Short mmCIF file of all heavy atoms in Angstrom, two decimals:
data_model
loop_
_atom_site.label_atom_id
_atom_site.label_comp_id
_atom_site.label_asym_id
_atom_site.label_seq_id
_atom_site.Cartn_x
_atom_site.Cartn_y
_atom_site.Cartn_z
N ARG A 1 31.20 10.99 6.12
CA ARG A 1 31.29 12.21 5.32
C ARG A 1 32.73 12.64 5.13
O ARG A 1 33.11 13.10 4.06
CB ARG A 1 30.51 13.32 6.02
CG ARG A 1 28.99 13.09 6.03
CD ARG A 1 28.28 14.20 6.77
NE ARG A 1 28.60 15.51 6.16
CZ ARG A 1 28.19 16.67 6.69
NH1 ARG A 1 27.51 16.68 7.84
NH2 ARG A 1 28.49 17.79 6.09
N ALA A 2 33.55 12.44 6.16
CA ALA A 2 34.97 12.79 6.03
C ALA A 2 35.65 11.91 4.99
O ALA A 2 36.46 12.38 4.18
CB ALA A 2 35.66 12.66 7.39
N VAL A 3 35.34 10.63 5.01
CA VAL A 3 35.94 9.72 4.03
C VAL A 3 35.50 10.09 2.62
O VAL A 3 36.29 10.07 1.66
CB VAL A 3 35.55 8.26 4.36
CG1 VAL A 3 35.96 7.34 3.21
CG2 VAL A 3 36.22 7.83 5.64
N GLU A 4 34.22 10.46 2.48
CA GLU A 4 33.73 10.86 1.15
C GLU A 4 34.44 12.11 0.67
O GLU A 4 34.82 12.22 -0.51
CB GLU A 4 32.22 11.10 1.22
CG GLU A 4 31.61 11.48 -0.12
CD GLU A 4 30.12 11.73 -0.01
OE1 GLU A 4 29.56 11.53 1.09
OE2 GLU A 4 29.51 12.15 -1.02
N ALA A 5 34.65 13.07 1.56
CA ALA A 5 35.36 14.30 1.19
C ALA A 5 36.81 14.01 0.83
O ALA A 5 37.35 14.57 -0.13
CB ALA A 5 35.28 15.32 2.32
N MET A 6 37.45 13.12 1.60
CA MET A 6 38.84 12.76 1.28
C MET A 6 38.92 12.06 -0.08
O MET A 6 39.87 12.27 -0.85
CB MET A 6 39.41 11.87 2.38
CG MET A 6 39.74 12.63 3.67
SD MET A 6 40.66 11.62 4.85
CE MET A 6 39.41 10.41 5.30
N THR A 7 37.93 11.25 -0.40
CA THR A 7 37.91 10.58 -1.70
C THR A 7 37.84 11.61 -2.83
O THR A 7 38.57 11.51 -3.83
CB THR A 7 36.70 9.63 -1.78
OG1 THR A 7 36.79 8.67 -0.74
CG2 THR A 7 36.67 8.93 -3.13
N GLN A 8 36.98 12.61 -2.67
CA GLN A 8 36.89 13.65 -3.68
C GLN A 8 38.19 14.44 -3.80
O GLN A 8 38.62 14.79 -4.90
CB GLN A 8 35.72 14.58 -3.35
CG GLN A 8 34.36 13.92 -3.46
CD GLN A 8 33.24 14.87 -3.09
OE1 GLN A 8 33.49 15.99 -2.65
NE2 GLN A 8 32.00 14.42 -3.24
N ASP A 9 38.82 14.72 -2.66
CA ASP A 9 40.08 15.47 -2.70
C ASP A 9 41.19 14.66 -3.38
O ASP A 9 41.99 15.21 -4.14
CB ASP A 9 40.51 15.85 -1.29
CG ASP A 9 39.64 16.95 -0.70
OD1 ASP A 9 39.06 17.71 -1.51
OD2 ASP A 9 39.52 17.03 0.53
N VAL A 10 41.25 13.37 -3.10
CA VAL A 10 42.26 12.54 -3.75
C VAL A 10 42.00 12.47 -5.26
O VAL A 10 42.93 12.52 -6.07
CB VAL A 10 42.28 11.13 -3.13
CG1 VAL A 10 43.13 10.18 -3.97
CG2 VAL A 10 42.82 11.19 -1.71
N GLN A 11 40.74 12.37 -5.64
CA GLN A 11 40.41 12.37 -7.06
C GLN A 11 40.83 13.68 -7.72
O GLN A 11 41.32 13.69 -8.85
CB GLN A 11 38.91 12.12 -7.25
CG GLN A 11 38.48 10.71 -6.88
CD GLN A 11 36.98 10.54 -6.95
OE1 GLN A 11 36.23 11.51 -7.13
NE2 GLN A 11 36.51 9.30 -6.81
N ARG A 12 40.62 14.77 -7.00
CA ARG A 12 41.04 16.05 -7.55
C ARG A 12 42.57 16.12 -7.67
O ARG A 12 43.10 16.64 -8.65
CB ARG A 12 40.54 17.19 -6.67
CG ARG A 12 40.89 18.57 -7.23
CD ARG A 12 40.23 19.68 -6.44
NE ARG A 12 40.56 20.97 -7.04
CZ ARG A 12 41.65 21.67 -6.74
NH1 ARG A 12 42.52 21.19 -5.87
NH2 ARG A 12 41.88 22.82 -7.32
N LEU A 13 43.27 15.61 -6.67
CA LEU A 13 44.74 15.58 -6.77
C LEU A 13 45.19 14.74 -7.96
O LEU A 13 46.17 15.08 -8.63
CB LEU A 13 45.33 15.03 -5.47
CG LEU A 13 45.33 15.96 -4.26
CD1 LEU A 13 45.82 15.22 -3.02
CD2 LEU A 13 46.20 17.17 -4.53
N GLU A 14 44.49 13.67 -8.23
CA GLU A 14 44.83 12.86 -9.40
C GLU A 14 44.61 13.63 -10.69
O GLU A 14 45.41 13.54 -11.62
CB GLU A 14 44.00 11.57 -9.39
CG GLU A 14 44.40 10.58 -8.28
CD GLU A 14 43.51 9.36 -8.27
OE1 GLU A 14 42.44 9.40 -8.94
OE2 GLU A 14 43.86 8.38 -7.60
N ARG A 15 43.53 14.41 -10.74
CA ARG A 15 43.29 15.21 -11.93
C ARG A 15 44.36 16.29 -12.09
O ARG A 15 44.82 16.57 -13.19
CB ARG A 15 41.90 15.85 -11.87
CG ARG A 15 40.77 14.84 -12.03
CD ARG A 15 39.45 15.55 -12.35
NE ARG A 15 39.03 16.43 -11.27
CZ ARG A 15 38.26 16.02 -10.26
NH1 ARG A 15 37.83 14.76 -10.21
NH2 ARG A 15 37.89 16.86 -9.31
N VAL A 16 44.76 16.91 -10.97
CA VAL A 16 45.84 17.90 -11.02
C VAL A 16 47.13 17.25 -11.50
O VAL A 16 47.88 17.83 -12.31
CB VAL A 16 46.03 18.55 -9.64
CG1 VAL A 16 47.28 19.44 -9.63
CG2 VAL A 16 44.80 19.38 -9.26
N SER A 17 47.40 16.04 -11.03
CA SER A 17 48.59 15.32 -11.47
C SER A 17 48.54 15.06 -12.97
O SER A 17 49.55 15.21 -13.67
CB SER A 17 48.71 14.00 -10.70
OG SER A 17 49.78 13.23 -11.18
N HIS A 18 47.36 14.71 -13.48
CA HIS A 18 47.22 14.49 -14.92
C HIS A 18 47.46 15.78 -15.70
O HIS A 18 48.00 15.75 -16.81
CB HIS A 18 45.83 13.95 -15.23
CG HIS A 18 45.61 12.55 -14.71
ND1 HIS A 18 46.62 11.62 -14.63
CD2 HIS A 18 44.47 11.93 -14.26
CE1 HIS A 18 46.13 10.49 -14.14
NE2 HIS A 18 44.83 10.65 -13.90
N ARG A 19 47.08 16.92 -15.11
CA ARG A 19 47.32 18.19 -15.81
C ARG A 19 48.82 18.42 -16.00
O ARG A 19 49.26 18.83 -17.08
CB ARG A 19 46.74 19.35 -14.99
CG ARG A 19 45.23 19.34 -14.88
CD ARG A 19 44.80 20.42 -13.92
NE ARG A 19 43.40 20.32 -13.59
CZ ARG A 19 42.80 21.06 -12.67
NH1 ARG A 19 43.51 21.93 -11.97
NH2 ARG A 19 41.51 20.92 -12.42
N PHE A 20 49.59 18.18 -14.95
CA PHE A 20 51.03 18.38 -15.07
C PHE A 20 51.63 17.43 -16.10
O PHE A 20 52.62 17.78 -16.76
CB PHE A 20 51.71 18.20 -13.71
CG PHE A 20 51.46 19.33 -12.76
CD1 PHE A 20 50.83 19.12 -11.54
CD2 PHE A 20 51.86 20.61 -13.08
CE1 PHE A 20 50.60 20.16 -10.67
CE2 PHE A 20 51.63 21.66 -12.21
CZ PHE A 20 51.00 21.44 -11.01
N GLU A 21 51.06 16.27 -16.24
CA GLU A 21 51.56 15.33 -17.25
C GLU A 21 51.30 15.85 -18.66
O GLU A 21 52.03 15.53 -19.58
CB GLU A 21 50.89 13.97 -17.08
CG GLU A 21 51.32 13.21 -15.83
CD GLU A 21 50.58 11.88 -15.69
OE1 GLU A 21 49.65 11.64 -16.51
OE2 GLU A 21 50.92 11.11 -14.79
N ARG A 22 50.24 16.69 -18.82
CA ARG A 22 49.87 17.17 -20.14
C ARG A 22 50.65 18.40 -20.57
O ARG A 22 50.57 18.80 -21.74
CB ARG A 22 48.38 17.49 -20.15
CG ARG A 22 47.49 16.35 -19.69
CD ARG A 22 47.60 15.17 -20.60
NE ARG A 22 47.13 15.50 -21.92
CZ ARG A 22 45.84 15.55 -22.26
NH1 ARG A 22 44.94 15.25 -21.37
NH2 ARG A 22 45.51 15.87 -23.48
N ILE A 23 51.36 19.03 -19.64
CA ILE A 23 52.11 20.24 -19.99
C ILE A 23 53.18 19.90 -21.02
O ILE A 23 53.96 18.97 -20.86
CB ILE A 23 52.74 20.87 -18.74
CG1 ILE A 23 51.65 21.41 -17.82
CG2 ILE A 23 53.71 22.00 -19.10
CD1 ILE A 23 52.17 22.00 -16.54
N GLY A 24 53.23 20.72 -22.08
CA GLY A 24 54.24 20.52 -23.12
C GLY A 24 53.86 19.48 -24.15
O GLY A 24 54.64 19.23 -25.07
N ARG A 25 52.69 18.88 -24.03
CA ARG A 25 52.25 17.87 -24.99
C ARG A 25 51.05 18.39 -25.78
O ARG A 25 50.34 19.27 -25.32
CB ARG A 25 51.87 16.58 -24.26
CG ARG A 25 53.06 15.92 -23.56
CD ARG A 25 52.64 14.63 -22.87
NE ARG A 25 53.77 14.00 -22.21
CZ ARG A 25 53.70 12.89 -21.51
NH1 ARG A 25 52.51 12.29 -21.36
NH2 ARG A 25 54.77 12.38 -20.95
N PRO A 26 50.81 17.86 -27.00
CA PRO A 26 49.67 18.34 -27.79
C PRO A 26 48.36 18.08 -27.06
O PRO A 26 48.16 17.02 -26.47
CB PRO A 26 49.77 17.50 -29.08
CG PRO A 26 51.19 17.04 -29.14
CD PRO A 26 51.63 16.88 -27.72
N PRO A 27 47.44 19.03 -27.07
CA PRO A 27 46.15 18.83 -26.39
C PRO A 27 45.29 17.81 -27.12
O PRO A 27 45.41 17.64 -28.34
CB PRO A 27 45.51 20.23 -26.43
CG PRO A 27 46.12 20.88 -27.64
CD PRO A 27 47.52 20.36 -27.71
N ARG A 28 44.43 17.17 -26.39
CA ARG A 28 43.50 16.22 -26.99
C ARG A 28 42.36 16.96 -27.68
O ARG A 28 41.97 18.05 -27.27
CB ARG A 28 42.95 15.28 -25.92
CG ARG A 28 44.00 14.37 -25.30
CD ARG A 28 43.40 13.54 -24.19
NE ARG A 28 44.40 12.69 -23.55
CZ ARG A 28 44.18 11.95 -22.46
NH1 ARG A 28 42.98 11.99 -21.89
NH2 ARG A 28 45.14 11.21 -21.95
N ASP A 29 41.82 16.31 -28.70
CA ASP A 29 40.67 16.86 -29.41
C ASP A 29 39.54 15.85 -29.29
O ASP A 29 39.46 14.89 -30.05
CB ASP A 29 41.03 17.13 -30.87
CG ASP A 29 39.89 17.83 -31.61
OD1 ASP A 29 38.96 18.32 -30.95
OD2 ASP A 29 39.94 17.86 -32.86
N GLU A 30 38.67 16.07 -28.31
CA GLU A 30 37.61 15.12 -28.04
C GLU A 30 36.32 15.86 -27.71
O GLU A 30 36.31 17.08 -27.52
CB GLU A 30 38.00 14.22 -26.85
CG GLU A 30 38.37 15.01 -25.59
CD GLU A 30 39.02 14.15 -24.53
OE1 GLU A 30 39.31 12.99 -24.80
OE2 GLU A 30 39.25 14.68 -23.42
N ARG A 31 35.23 15.12 -27.67
CA ARG A 31 33.94 15.70 -27.31
C ARG A 31 33.84 15.81 -25.79
O ARG A 31 34.00 14.82 -25.08
CB ARG A 31 32.81 14.82 -27.84
CG ARG A 31 32.68 14.84 -29.35
CD ARG A 31 32.05 16.15 -29.81
NE ARG A 31 31.76 16.16 -31.23
CZ ARG A 31 31.17 17.16 -31.86
NH1 ARG A 31 30.82 18.23 -31.18
NH2 ARG A 31 30.94 17.11 -33.15
#
């Protein structure tokens, strides 16, 4: 369970990292 929770946290950190990459750039238009 700890490993599963760490996996989710790392995935969330990756999403947060992607957010910072998107700052100052045109937003995507997708479904």
Side-chain angles (χ1 to χ4, degrees):
R1 292 179 58 186
V3 170
E4 182 181 356
M6 286 189 293
T7 302
Q8 293 178 354
D9 288 335
V10 170
Q11 291 175 351
R12 183 173 181 273
L13 285 174
E14 290 177 346
R15 290 196 297 271
V16 172
S17 175
H18 292 328
R19 294 173 190 173
F20 287 120
E21 290 178 353
R22 306 297 297 280
I23 293 178
R25 295 181 180 179
R28 294 176 182 173
D29 186 13
E30 56 192 7
R31 290 285 187 177

